[in-house]
Amino acid sequence: MNIIMGKIFLSTERLAFSLWSEEDISDALELWGNPEVTKFITSNGKMSEKQVCERLKKEIETYTNANVQYFPLYLVETNKNIGCCGLRPYDPKNNIFEMGIHLKQQY
């Protein structure tokens, strides 16, 4: 995948933070379709393709509604997606957020 530079909102020398979009389904499937990634974030440790698609849709909606999401992370040098990290509303009425990091096994 090539990073669309307009989607990058923050970068360091090594990492770039982007926004999920529907076009990122292959990165989402590679990340959340991997039981090594999801073994601690889902009740049965696995996500079906349908669940991954729902998760991607939820991340996009969360950004639309709350201006946060688990932002996809890319290596600047290779444009390779290594996972995601960020925030999601936990208790919106009290302005409390949950922080999460989902990284591919090799990273």
Side-chain angles (χ1 to χ4, degrees):
M1 182 209 138
N2 267 338
I3 300 172
I4 299 168
M5 293 311 290
K7 290 173 44 179
I8 299 299
F9 68 89
L10 177 68
S11 65
T12 68
E13 198 172 296
R14 185 169 171 242
L15 297 174
F17 291 79
S18 185
L19 298 173
W20 287 113
S21 70
E22 291 179 10
E23 294 82 33
D24 297 320
I25 187 62
S26 61
D27 287 337
L29 286 166
E30 189 177 318
L31 177 65
W32 292 312
N34 182 337
E36 288 299 314
V37 173
T38 58
K39 67 183 174 183
F40 299 117
I41 62 173
T42 63
S43 60
N44 71 352
K46 299 177 185 175
M47 291 177 81
S48 68
E49 187 172 330
K50 180 181 177 189
Q51 289 171 312
V52 172
C53 291
E54 290 169 357
R55 175 63 190 250
L56 178 60
K57 182 179 177 184
K58 181 178 178 183
E59 291 299 332
I60 295 166
E61 288 174 359
T62 299
Y63 185 76
T64 299
N65 296 328
N67 291 322
V68 296
Q69 65 177 207
Y70 283 16
F71 301 103
L73 288 168
Y74 296 89
L75 290 176
V76 169
E77 186 176 312
T78 63
N79 289 343
K80 179 81 175 142
N81 175 265
I82 65 167
C84 63
C85 72
L87 300 172
R88 97 167 99 209
Y90 178 79
D91 181 357
K93 290 180 183 176
N94 292 305
N95 205 28
I96 298 172
F97 292 84
E98 172 184 273
M99 182 177 161
I101 302 169
H102 304 161
L103 294 176
K104 294 178 182 175
Q105 186 177 7
Q106 63 268 37
Y107 301 104

